[in-house]
Amino acid sequence: MISSLLIANRGEIARRIIRTAHAMGIGTVAVYSENDATAPFVQEADTAIAIGGHTAAESYLDVAKLIDACKRSGADAVHPGYGFLSESAVFAEAVSNNGLIWVGPSPKAIRAIGDKLAAKRLLKPLRVPLLEAFEVPENADASASAEKIGYPVLIKAAAGGGGRGMRIVEKPVDLPQAIESARREAAASFGDGTVFLERWLKSARHVEIQILGDKHGNLVHLFERECSIQRRHQKVVEEAPSPAVDAALRERMGKAALAAGSAIGYDSTGTVEFLVSGREFFFLEVNTRLQVEHPVTEAVTGLDLVREQLRVAEGEALGFDQEDLRLHGHAIEVRLCAEDPEKNFLPTPGTVQVWEPPAGDGIRTDSGIESGSEIGIAFDPMMAKIIAWAPTRREAAAKLARALEATRIQGIVHNRDFLVSCLRSPEFLRGETDTDFIAKVKPSPARAIDESELHAAAIAAALHDRGRRLRDMRILKTIPGGFRNSVMPPEQVSYAFRDARLNLAYRPARDGSIAVNVNERSCRVVEFDVNDHDIDLAIDGRRCRHSVLASADKRFVHGAAGDIELAELPRFPAPERAEQRGGLKAPMPGKVMSVMVAEGDQVERGQPLLVLEAMKMEHRIDAPWNGTVKTLTVSAGDQVANGATLVIMEQAE
């Protein structure tokens, strides 16, 4: 029996494992880097061990530190979560060699099938459909292999998953740089820089089969999940079952997945991933761990997969056979990330000022954050997963979209509106969800906000500030707000929203209402309730409730349709600062991985200038025009702040 479980991970998945472990009567131990000292998962574990470091390599990828934390805490088992060392046979062996229980498949199974290239070699005799792949040794010329496959080709990391170390290459000239970039990213994420080339199927579906085995030879599959909607090769929307898989295809794919697991005597949870094109499917890889998207499988099967992992690790047999398993309804999950869809999904680190997840029947939220959480640059930008279950797919999509709109997340740029746009698109509702969904459908990166909603948010912000001032006043508290013994001009305030300016003036009337003017449009407002967080108003007879948070000059307003962030404008113009012309700025804080140009170089539009790394992903800074590099303000290895000038260029005539 496991009595104390160390979770060798962080964030959302650490909290998820803690929840089930506590429900099973198992004590929990968290490990944390210096960045995560105040994170929610650290506070929720029974014990927490500091392992130091700021990066993954210095903390959650350091086997010695993790084993030492087990010894210091007295833990008798280790759950690796997903990512980091979850698919490391070396770590699994270190855990077992120190007399601890490893919650996952055996090191032998991980080594045999966790490596994507090894898995292909193992499955080839079993006649599982495969895509041809070629390993790329370090410093080797891969051009001949790429030509044999045919462009475009996909570069993939042999270890790990989650889209790390993956690149699509359209032209031979881009191949060497893409390989090196993928190799660096894979090494940083998984401690293994091995990469290979594979054929890229542009329009296909990414469908995976969840498998579950025990140490007594029992192995079942828990049906499929579809994860085709992706950006930067990372999943965005996942669902179970797939709208493209019928009973016959499900049976064929299930048998292929079980063949893969049976070949190595697989136990614990695992996922066999396929590309599906029409009625054909091709094996991609086996993930020898729990998947990020496991909640949708839990929703449609009624199983707790973390509980099953822990039971299997303790030596228990599965309590069911394949014939006992049934699909119930439909579940959809989205990943809420700190990233900007309007800027090609660049990470957006910062502080989450307000986090209020949705509630309701059939809604589940797995999050790694609370109000006040810091989203740094060292780790993945995912903040939470929101899952909806309903009897039908269309109901699940509508329920999830509405839950996202009701989620209050303020103070940080995120992808919530983009996710809603995906879920409400006609293509999604028709089940047309292949891997180029985002490129074809082009879901709106931000929701459209009409004038009446924007005006209502500005009124709510201004009157909430007024209510706060009245509440905090120290003298003449018995005099009604707005009382004057003469005619005075109205109160005025101005806000900025994106490129719009909102000039607002208001004056209390004798009947208790408030006359408000927003950009020369007048209305009458009745206040029903104002408290620390909410304000209940009727604007020209239309009742609406808003939540308002004031932080410096920001006003974070949440209404029925979602969030609006307003910036209160100063009454007097601020002195302008001279901008350095032609300066290219860092789109986010990060580390400069490489610089590809020198001062005085002539460059063409689109030519790579340098590479930044943030949140375990590499981001290339390209020349925006033809010109000359006048000044380089950074070097490889530099840590730069958001908005820092990187390169100053002179545009060609």
Side-chain angles (χ1 to χ4, degrees):
M1 294 287 290
I2 297 172
S3 61
S4 180
L5 178 69
L6 184 138
I7 301 153
N9 217 296
R10 63 181 297 279
E12 168 269 323
I13 188 56
R15 297 180 86 183
R16 162 72 187 93
I17 296 166
I18 289 169
R19 188 166 67 242
T20 288
H22 284 172
M24 295 176 69
I26 298 172
T28 55
V29 179
V31 292
Y32 62 93
S33 67
E34 292 186 33
N35 315 58
D36 286 332
T38 59
F41 77 93
V42 176
Q43 299 168 32
E44 291 174 6
D46 298 306
T47 303
I49 304 293
I51 55 175
H54 291 279
T55 67
E58 295 167 348
S59 53
Y60 304 104
L61 288 174
D62 191 318
V63 173
K65 284 184 177 180
L66 296 171
I67 296 299
D68 179 65
C70 290
K71 295 175 180 177
R72 290 168 59 193
S73 65
D76 53 18
V78 175
H79 195 307
Y82 53 70
F84 295 131
L85 294 171
S86 62
E87 296 180 272
S88 169
V90 171
F91 183 44
E93 284 174 340
V95 169
S96 299
N97 291 343
N98 279 275
L100 304 167
I101 296 171
W102 169 253
V103 182
S106 67
K108 180 182 176 182
I110 295 174
R111 194 167 273 116
I113 210 164
D115 181 294
K116 298 175 181 64
L117 286 168
K120 286 176 181 285
R121 290 191 291 267
L122 177 71
L123 297 183
K124 193 170 184 178
L126 302 180
R127 302 197 176 187
V128 175
L130 302 172
L131 291 171
E132 192 172 21
F134 296 91
E135 184 176 351
V136 183
E138 202 155 356
N139 301 319
D141 183 358
S143 56
S145 297
E147 292 292 343
K148 186 174 181 180
I149 294 171
Y151 286 91
V153 296
L154 179 64
I155 304 167
K156 293 179 72 172
R164 308 297 184 193
M166 292 181 68
R167 301 287 187 276
I168 297 172
V169 181
E170 302 276 355
K171 300 175 293 186
V173 68
D174 297 327
L175 186 65
Q177 182 184 320
I179 288 172
E180 290 312 306
S181 176
R183 199 186 298 280
R184 283 195 303 269
E185 196 169 87
S189 297
F190 316 117
D192 184 345
T194 305
V195 297
F196 64 94
L197 304 184
E198 187 177 78
R199 177 180 158 204
W200 169 244
L201 295 178
K202 184 176 182 182
S203 292
R205 291 176 185 263
H206 187 129
V207 180
E208 58 193 31
I209 302 288
Q210 176 74 61
I211 60 174
L212 173 64
D214 62 23
K215 300 181 187 302
H216 305 277
N218 301 305
L219 184 68
V220 298
H221 73 79
L222 308 180
F223 313 111
E224 83 280 356
R225 297 183 290 255
E226 179 163 330
C227 316
S228 300
I229 301 180
Q230 303 177 9
R231 54 90 180 96
R232 294 200 308 263
H233 312 296
Q234 291 182 295
K235 300 162 186 173
V236 176
V237 182
E238 300 111 340
E239 58 182 311
S242 166
V245 175
D246 59 17
L249 184 56
R250 180 174 297 122
E251 183 176 2
R252 289 168 54 210
M253 294 180 68
K255 285 182 178 178
L258 291 176
S262 297
I264 54 167
Y266 196 90
D267 63 272
S268 194
T269 59
T271 302
V272 186
E273 302 199 350
F274 300 94
L275 279 180
V276 176
S277 181
R279 306 299 299 169
E280 288 187 297
F281 60 90
F282 301 92
F283 170 82
L284 277 179
E285 63 194 50
V286 178
N287 290 313
T288 55
R289 55 175 166 82
L290 194 69
Q291 292 279 90
V292 177
E293 58 273 19
H294 75 274
V296 294
T297 295
E298 295 181 327
V300 297
T301 62
L303 296 172
D304 181 331
L305 294 186
V306 174
R307 175 179 177 270
E308 296 301 327
Q309 283 186 300
L310 292 170
R311 290 183 66 254
V312 167
E314 289 179 327
E316 296 278 346
L318 297 182
F320 45 83
D321 297 319
Q322 190 68 55
E323 294 72 25
D324 299 322
L325 297 168
R326 297 287 184 275
L327 282 167
H328 301 282
H330 202 97
I332 307 174
E333 171 185 293
V334 292
R335 304 187 188 191
L336 189 60
C337 298
E339 61 187 18
D340 189 348
E342 294 188 277
K343 296 181 179 177
N344 196 29
F345 300 97
L346 281 175
T348 53
T351 302
V352 179
Q353 298 284 354
V354 179
W355 169 244
E356 292 180 5
D361 184 44
I363 297 296
R364 167 179 166 179
T365 301
D366 289 5
S367 81
I369 59 170
E370 297 291 350
S371 296
S373 290
E374 288 287 334
I375 308 299
I377 63 170
F379 304 112
D380 191 274
M382 188 177 77
M383 298 179 288
K385 305 177 309 198
I386 301 179
I387 306 99
W389 178 92
T392 69
R393 184 175 184 271
R394 292 181 73 90
E395 288 177 90
K399 181 183 286 189
L400 183 53
R402 187 68 199 106
L404 283 166
E405 290 167 342
T407 299
R408 189 177 175 202
I409 177 165
Q410 297 169 329
I412 197 165
V413 177
H414 51 73
N415 66 336
R416 187 259 309 277
D417 294 341
F418 170 81
L419 297 172
V420 172
S421 182
C422 287
L423 294 169
R424 294 202 187 280
S425 69
E427 293 84 356
F428 182 84
L429 296 175
R430 289 196 298 264
E432 298 170 1
T433 52
D434 52 22
T435 51
D436 58 353
F437 176 90
I438 292 175
K440 287 194 306 187
V441 176
K442 296 181 173 57
S444 175
R447 70 185 180 93
I449 299 175
D450 62 30
E451 187 178 71
S452 63
E453 183 187 353
L454 188 56
H455 285 191
I459 292 169
L463 297 187
H464 191 269
D465 280 357
R466 172 181 179 267
R468 192 174 70 249
R469 290 193 298 270
L470 291 174
R471 182 198 63 195
D472 295 342
M473 63 189 297
R474 295 173 178 265
I475 59 173
L476 304 177
K477 293 180 74 72
T478 58
I479 296 178
F483 174 82
R484 298 289 188 275
N485 60 4
S486 61
V487 177
M488 299 290 286
E491 295 289 325
Q492 297 186 42
V493 63
S494 294
Y495 300 107
F497 175 74
R498 297 176 184 166
D499 296 328
R501 181 186 176 102
L502 301 162
N503 297 314
L504 187 144
Y506 62 90
R507 188 203 312 262
R510 289 175 179 260
D511 63 1
S513 66
I514 303 172
V516 180
N517 183 290
V518 185
N519 287 359
E520 306 303 322
R521 296 191 64 173
S522 299
C523 59
R524 188 157 295 275
V525 178
V526 176
E527 284 184 349
F528 289 94
D529 182 40
V530 184
N531 57 45
D532 285 348
H533 305 291
D534 302 313
I535 182 166
D536 188 358
L537 304 171
I539 302 173
D540 282 343
R542 181 178 179 180
R543 192 86 171 255
C544 55
R545 177 175 285 274
H546 293 82
S547 296
V548 181
L549 173 73
S551 177
D553 64 336
K554 302 292 186 185
R555 299 296 179 271
F556 301 105
V557 185
H558 182 81
D563 294 319
I564 294 177
E565 181 180 323
L566 304 172
E568 183 175 357
L569 298 174
R571 294 180 180 272
F572 304 101
E576 293 186 1
R577 292 183 177 181
E579 286 287 334
Q580 175 73 56
R581 295 188 64 190
L584 303 183
K585 299 184 181 298
M588 71 248 161
K591 181 180 181 181
V592 179
M593 300 301 296
S594 61
V595 178
M596 292 93 128
V597 292
E599 292 181 358
D601 283 359
Q602 301 289 321
V603 296
E604 298 180 353
R605 179 182 178 184
Q607 181 176 332
L609 303 178
L610 53 87
V611 174
L612 281 180
E613 182 193 53
M615 292 180 169
K616 299 198 296 182
M617 295 288 286
E618 290 194 356
H619 307 275
R620 201 173 76 180
I621 307 298
D622 295 337
W625 52 68
N626 297 340
T628 305
V629 177
K630 300 297 290 183
T631 307
L632 278 171
T633 61
V634 295
S635 303
D638 288 353
Q639 198 74 34
V640 296
N642 186 31
T645 299
L646 305 172
V647 183
I648 298 173
M649 285 184 58
E650 184 178 84
Q651 189 168 1
E653 295 294 336

